[in-house]
């Protein structure tokens, strides 16, 4: 249907064979394949503990519970994120406070806005590494240290992204990754929790599986006879089929991200002439970071900001007619009906988030895009811009 879809899988025979091997092994629930996936992921990000789970939403929920969020507490979160970042806090009975973002060049949390929202109830900050580009972690970690707050990283966009040699997701207390089909590492549904702190890892591990002290796999292996339940836990486990896909995808991650980077650079170069008042008023978030050797992004998506007051629907429709799929990252969370009702009457001033979210369009980006596809997207983008 699309000439160029927004995203596409990079699956081949390797994924098919990996799934077939699991089916033939006759062990489907969490076991040795999941353990191998966790170990390999831990090696990639250099963390002491990696725990695979059903998806990143439950990873965020467990992370919130593990740092002790509950009724009466608050967590500071971005509004320019997927709704799960905020929902996870509400699941625990705690409330969210939405912080603003930096600006057109950097769509991640503004540390000044975060600092202004800290109250006696604040227990945690959740950052989101938009597009796999790092948040201002040194400043955010300093605020957290000053006030004794936990830092959870929503690293759904960030597998294979580093800041100063540290993998994103390992800078705060707990990192949460997503393996949803359109992410850089895809298993359909799936997620990973990472932490260096053994007491958090222990708690996360218990809560992933009903608060039980031993798993079916341990008992199958003859390592345990019975179990106790020591926490109110959940069934947030992954399974061997998804873990097998994850292991194959992990092998392709670095090359896939390198291709994403090359495509991103083609986009940035070709669109540079349209930037700013001398161009058409287009803006290219994160392009200014391109030369910073300390930053190695995952280039999960390619966001552009249309000129102010441009007709975004017209732009999107033009690309759609040309067979090019686009998306919006994101409708701000604080504007959703549910959140408007929940926090009705509370002043929520997020001017930067609101103005940028209204201008954002995401262009196609995935490793399998050919240079000809990139050219097509660029041609049609320039044509559509000229009509705004
Ligand atoms: C995809 C995504 C999630 C949720 O991930 P699931 O694995 O689908 O639950 C959370 N936060 C962000 C920023 C995401 O992009």
């Amino acid at each position: 249907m699309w000439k160029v879809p927004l995203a596409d899988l990079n699956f081949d025979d390797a994924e098919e064979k990996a799934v077939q091997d699991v089916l033939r092994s006759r062990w489907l629930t969490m076991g040795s394949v999941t353990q191998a996936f966790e170990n390999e992921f831990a090696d990639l990000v250099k963390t002491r503990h990696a725990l695979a789970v059903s998806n990143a939403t439950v990873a965020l929920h467990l992370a919130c519970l593990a740092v002790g969020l509950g009724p009466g507490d608050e967590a500071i979160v971005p509004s320019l994120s997927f709704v799960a970042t905020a929902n996870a806090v509400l699941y625990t009975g705690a409330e969210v406070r939405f912080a603003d973002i930096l600006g057109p060049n950097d769509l991640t949390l503004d540390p000044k806005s975060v600092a202004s929202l800290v109250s006696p109830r604040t227990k945690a900050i959740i950052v989101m590494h938009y597009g796999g580009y790092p948040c201002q972690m040194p400043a955010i970690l300093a605020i957290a240290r000053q006030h004794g707050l936990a830092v959870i990283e929503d690293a759904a966009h960030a597998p294979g992204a580093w800041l100063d040699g540290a993998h994103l997701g390992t800078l705060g207390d707990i990192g949460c990754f997503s393996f949803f089909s359109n992410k850089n590492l895809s298993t359909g549904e799936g997620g990973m929790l990472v932490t260096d702190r053994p007491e958090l890892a222990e708690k996360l591990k218990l809560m992933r599986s009903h608060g039980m002290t031993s798993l079916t796999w341990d008992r199958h292996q003859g390592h345990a006879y019975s179990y106790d339940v020591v926490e109110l836990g959940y069934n947030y486990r992954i399974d061997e089929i998804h873990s097998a896909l994850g292991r194959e995808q992990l092998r392709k991650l670095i090359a896939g991200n390198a291709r994403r980077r090359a495509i991103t650079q083609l986009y940035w170069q070709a669109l540079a002439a349209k930037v700013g008042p001398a161009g058409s008023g287009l803006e290219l978030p994160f392009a200014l970071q391109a030369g910073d050797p300390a930053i190695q992004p995952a280039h999960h998506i390619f966001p552009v900001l249309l000129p102010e007051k441009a007709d975004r629907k017209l732009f999107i429709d033009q690309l759609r007619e040309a067979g090019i799929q686009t998306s919006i990252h994101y409708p701000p969370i604080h504007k959703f009906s549910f959140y408007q009702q929940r926090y009705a009457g509370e002043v929520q001033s997020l001017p930067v988030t609101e103005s940028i979210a209204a201008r954002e369009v995401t262009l196609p980006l995935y490793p399998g895009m050919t240079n000809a596809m990139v050219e097509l997207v660029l041609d049609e983008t320039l044509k559509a811009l000229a009509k705004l």
Side-chain angles (χ1 to χ4, degrees):
M1 166 181 179
W2 299 105
K3 280 188 198 158
V4 189
L6 183 71
D8 194 17
L9 294 172
N10 59 354
F11 280 25
D12 56 33
D13 294 350
E15 282 82 3
E16 285 187 24
K17 175 166 188 307
V19 168
Q20 211 169 50
D21 288 347
V22 170
L23 300 183
R24 289 182 178 159
S25 79
R26 309 187 70 77
W27 189 269
L28 301 183
T29 52
M30 243 175 30
S32 62
V33 180
T34 299
Q35 270 167 15
F37 181 35
E38 290 174 340
N39 292 340
E40 288 159 8
F41 198 86
D43 284 346
L44 171 83
V45 309
K46 297 199 173 58
T47 185
R48 284 160 73 186
H49 307 279
L51 295 166
V53 288
S54 330
N55 56 65
T57 304
V58 304
L60 286 161
H61 182 199
L62 291 186
C64 288
L65 290 169
V67 302
L69 277 169
D73 299 327
E74 289 176 0
I76 299 169
V77 305
S79 175
L80 194 73
S81 183
F82 184 57
V83 67
T85 314
N87 283 352
V89 174
L90 301 195
Y91 297 158
T92 70
E95 300 296 333
V96 291
R97 303 296 307 277
F98 291 109
D100 215 343
I101 55 170
L102 282 156
N105 294 320
D106 187 333
L107 310 185
T108 67
L109 278 181
D110 180 353
K112 284 204 203 73
S113 175
V114 171
S116 75
L117 292 171
V118 174
S119 81
R121 290 169 178 257
T122 311
K123 195 167 249 173
I125 303 168
I126 307 185
V127 301
M128 195 279 273
H129 300 294
Y130 186 111
Y133 299 89
C135 294
Q136 306 275 311
M137 290 308 285
I140 286 164
L141 291 170
I143 296 165
R145 261 195 306 276
Q146 189 188 340
H147 299 281
L149 312 177
V151 174
I152 296 169
E153 293 173 77
D154 181 338
H157 296 187
W162 284 267
L163 172 63
D164 275 327
H167 197 286
L168 302 190
T170 66
L171 292 119
D173 296 288
I174 305 177
C176 304
F177 293 86
S178 172
F179 308 138
F180 187 69
S181 350
N182 63 7
K183 301 287 159 72
N184 290 31
L185 192 165
S186 316
T187 63
E189 299 283 358
M192 191 76 77
L193 283 154
V194 302
T195 184
D196 275 334
R197 294 181 37 200
E199 76 285 5
L200 289 178
E202 197 50 43
K203 175 131 186 172
L204 293 166
K205 199 170 184 173
L206 278 170
M207 311 254 277
R208 172 176 65 175
S209 196
H210 307 286
M212 285 162 62
T213 52
S214 79
L215 299 173
T216 314
W217 174 247
D218 300 322
R219 293 192 296 280
H220 179 73
Q221 302 269 77
H223 295 158
Y225 302 94
S226 185
Y227 56 83
D228 191 13
V229 170
V230 295
E231 296 265 3
L232 177 62
Y234 301 85
N235 176 356
Y236 283 171
R237 296 182 305 259
I238 198 166
D239 64 40
E240 297 286 86
I241 300 170
H242 290 91
S243 292
L245 290 172
R247 292 186 71 194
E248 294 308 323
Q249 285 280 288
L250 200 52
R251 291 187 228 288
K252 296 177 177 177
L253 180 69
I254 301 302
N257 284 5
R259 177 66 188 148
R260 288 174 185 273
R261 182 188 197 79
I263 296 167
T264 298
Q265 265 152 1
L266 290 175
Y267 276 151
W268 277 339
Q269 279 156 19
L271 295 173
K274 298 287 155 195
V275 171
S280 61
L282 190 76
E283 296 195 79
L284 300 173
F286 305 108
L288 295 179
Q289 295 181 7
D292 187 339
I295 297 176
Q296 204 173 325
H299 300 289
H300 170 54
I301 52 176
F302 187 79
V304 300
L305 306 181
L306 297 183
E308 293 193 41
K309 301 198 176 70
D311 184 343
R312 177 164 66 177
K313 189 173 173 301
L314 178 68
F315 179 85
I316 291 171
D317 285 345
Q318 306 248 9
L319 288 182
R320 181 192 293 124
E321 276 159 33
I324 295 163
Q325 187 184 19
T326 60
S327 181
I328 292 170
H329 291 89
Y330 290 89
I333 301 172
H334 75 286
K335 288 291 194 186
F336 288 133
S337 307
F338 171 78
Y339 279 90
Q340 287 279 305
Q341 280 156 26
R342 177 130 184 157
Y343 297 112
E346 286 180 37
V347 192
Q348 295 203 36
S349 172
L350 298 165
V352 187
T353 295
E354 287 178 20
S355 79
I356 283 175
R359 296 170 58 199
E360 198 277 341
V361 177
T362 303
L363 300 182
L365 176 59
Y366 54 92
M369 264 181 101
T370 62
N371 284 9
M373 288 166 143
V374 177
E375 288 303 324
L376 179 68
V377 174
L378 281 167
D379 285 350
E380 296 298 337
T381 297
L382 293 174
K383 269 195 241 165
L385 278 175
K387 289 188 193 158
L388 294 180

